[in-house]
Amino acid sequence: MTASLSNELLLDLYSRMLRIRLVEERLAQVQAEGELPGPVHLYIGQEAVAIGVCAHLTDEDWIASTHRGHGHFLAKSRETRKLVAEVYGRATGVCGGKGGSMHVADISKGILGANGIVGGGIGLATGAALTAKTQGKRRVSVAFFGDGAANQGVLMEALNIAALWKLPLILVCENNGFSEFSPTEVVTAGEIWKRASPFGVPSQAVDGNDVLAVYAAAQEAIERARRGEGPTLLEMRTYRLRGHVEAEKSFLSKTYRTDDEVETRRAVEPLLRCRALLREAKIDDAAVSEMEARERSEVDAAFEYAAQSPWPEAKTAFQHMFA
Ligand SMILES: Cc1ncc(C[n+]2csc(CCOP(=O)(O)OP(=O)(O)O)c2C)c(N)n1
């Protein structure tokens, strides 16, 4: 499969995944140091999904995200400073510091927003898909959501109406093994990708830790949507390497998974696997190291920018409100 992608594209996918990883590792650190005004739900271990899907999108296309939304934001827009400043709650953040981690949004880039309401993004993305269809401009709309969200009724409503109206909607379920502190098998019956079948919607389960598998499945679904042939449901099988929320061990009375399990899954995490693909494709190690250094310095600069940015002024408290 590597042969079908240029080395340039492969390196680009890796660098974009690395950007997310570096931002989030640093967020984990500053959260532990008490630097952030609120909680963060990290995406570490799932980067291949956001990157493999968003590689096919432009600013004209829409995405709707989840409470675990930093990766989706960075995959759709590389505005790292605006993202980090927002998580820091600063005036220079993408929402002026008023949204924070769970509400990063940038309509100008087609990012309808992270979302604290589990399953909330599915309805938003379906609405955007209807707009796309009405406009007839080959735009598409992607809903990212978790396996827990797949148990909300809105998924059935979206599948129904998107199938009926042939909406350019791509439903991307990130099955990361858990819904908060419950393993998926305890709260989810059957296989999520099969839920599309009664609606006649194409669907498949994909190795969500393999960026090339994600890239290929997303390409097929997005091209189908752009051709006006309707929605697709993709179940990306991946694994959440961090806690549901940072510092969860400090308040959980018992564990829901062992450290050994997490270590086993670390061996098949997406960045490691993509790094192996770069070697297989004989991409020069020096070129990779150079790119990694560039990414690190970009991320360092973004955190410095955020930490030094001003807080929003009190007089702006009532701006950007509907009522
Ligand atoms: C409508 C709603 N119900 C419950 C919650 C509480 N809650 C927050 S995250 C979460 C688990 C979501 O699991 P999943 O969709 O698999 O996403 P993941 O956290 O694994 O990325 C729950 C139940 C919520 N925020 N919104």
Side-chain angles (χ1 to χ4, degrees):
M1 197 169 203
T2 31
S4 60
L5 282 194
S6 72
N7 285 1
E8 198 186 344
L9 178 57
L10 200 53
L11 196 57
D12 188 53
L13 294 174
Y14 180 69
S15 78
R16 286 169 183 270
M17 286 164 61
L18 182 66
R19 171 79 58 101
I20 300 173
R21 177 67 60 90
L22 293 174
V23 165
E24 292 226 305
E25 283 177 345
R26 191 74 176 272
L27 283 175
Q29 184 197 325
V30 294
Q31 224 271 345
E33 292 166 358
E35 288 295 308
L36 301 180
V40 283
H41 304 79
L42 300 183
Y43 193 63
I44 291 177
Q46 301 179 216
E47 296 90 343
V49 178
I51 293 301
V53 172
C54 291
H56 302 287
L57 305 179
T58 74
D59 288 352
E60 293 292 298
D61 300 312
W62 289 286
I63 63 166
S65 171
T66 68
H67 53 286
R68 205 175 296 291
H70 310 150
H72 305 133
F73 182 97
L74 288 174
K76 188 79 166 40
S77 142
R78 290 200 105 188
E79 301 274 11
T80 310
R81 289 177 187 218
K82 285 188 182 171
L83 172 93
V84 178
E86 187 59 39
V87 180
Y88 267 73
R90 303 306 167 101
T92 53
V94 67
C95 302
K98 295 180 193 169
S101 166
M102 266 186 281
H103 302 101
V104 288
D106 185 352
I107 303 298
S108 71
K109 302 271 181 201
I111 303 170
L112 298 174
N115 203 317
I117 299 169
V118 169
I122 299 173
L124 292 180
T126 307
L130 176 59
T131 301
K133 169 112 181 172
T134 311
Q135 291 176 333
K137 287 187 183 164
R138 292 171 57 84
R139 297 167 99 175
V140 301
S141 180
V142 176
F144 291 103
F145 56 98
D147 44 286
N151 295 332
Q152 297 283 53
V154 65
L155 178 61
M156 298 303 124
E157 296 175 46
L159 280 166
N160 181 58
I161 212 69
L164 211 53
W165 293 349
K166 286 203 179 313
L167 300 183
L169 176 70
I170 298 93
L171 294 157
V172 178
C173 177
E174 298 187 58
N175 185 346
N176 64 9
F178 302 93
S179 175
E180 284 191 317
F181 317 113
S182 306
T184 308
E185 59 273 18
V186 176
V187 288
T188 299
E191 297 195 67
I192 293 167
W193 67 276
K194 292 184 179 166
R195 294 181 183 183
S197 162
F199 299 94
V201 169
S203 68
Q204 61 171 310
V206 179
D207 178 349
N209 281 9
D210 176 355
V211 71
L212 296 185
V214 175
Y215 184 91
Q219 182 168 33
E220 191 184 326
I222 291 168
E223 282 176 1
R224 178 161 47 237
R226 290 201 201 284
R227 286 195 304 268
E229 293 170 21
T232 302
L233 170 65
L234 299 173
E235 179 187 344
M236 302 293 182
R237 303 225 167 126
T238 177
Y239 190 81
R240 163 163 69 66
L241 286 171
R242 303 285 305 185
H244 166 67
V245 65
E246 283 305 282
E248 69 182 22
K249 281 192 173 167
S250 65
F251 61 81
L252 283 185
S253 58
K254 58 179 181 154
T255 182
Y256 59 94
R257 63 178 181 183
T258 63
D259 291 344
D260 277 355
E261 176 187 319
V262 180
E263 281 318 307
T264 310
R265 299 302 296 252
R266 219 180 279 289
V268 289
E269 63 96 351
L271 266 92
L272 213 62
R273 285 176 66 182
C274 190
R275 187 70 183 79
L277 289 175
L278 299 183
R279 264 182 231 113
E280 217 176 276
K282 302 205 170 13
I283 295 176
D284 187 22
D285 267 344
V288 178
S289 304
E290 205 176 291
M291 178 276 288
E292 287 173 344
R294 238 185 354 257
E295 288 301 317
R296 271 178 217 288
S297 77
E298 281 274 340
V299 172
D300 286 348
F303 275 79
E304 196 155 317
Y305 173 80
Q308 288 177 3
S309 288
W311 295 99
E313 287 188 55
K315 69 177 185 212
T316 66
F318 296 110
Q319 279 176 8
H320 311 122
M321 294 176 76
F322 286 113

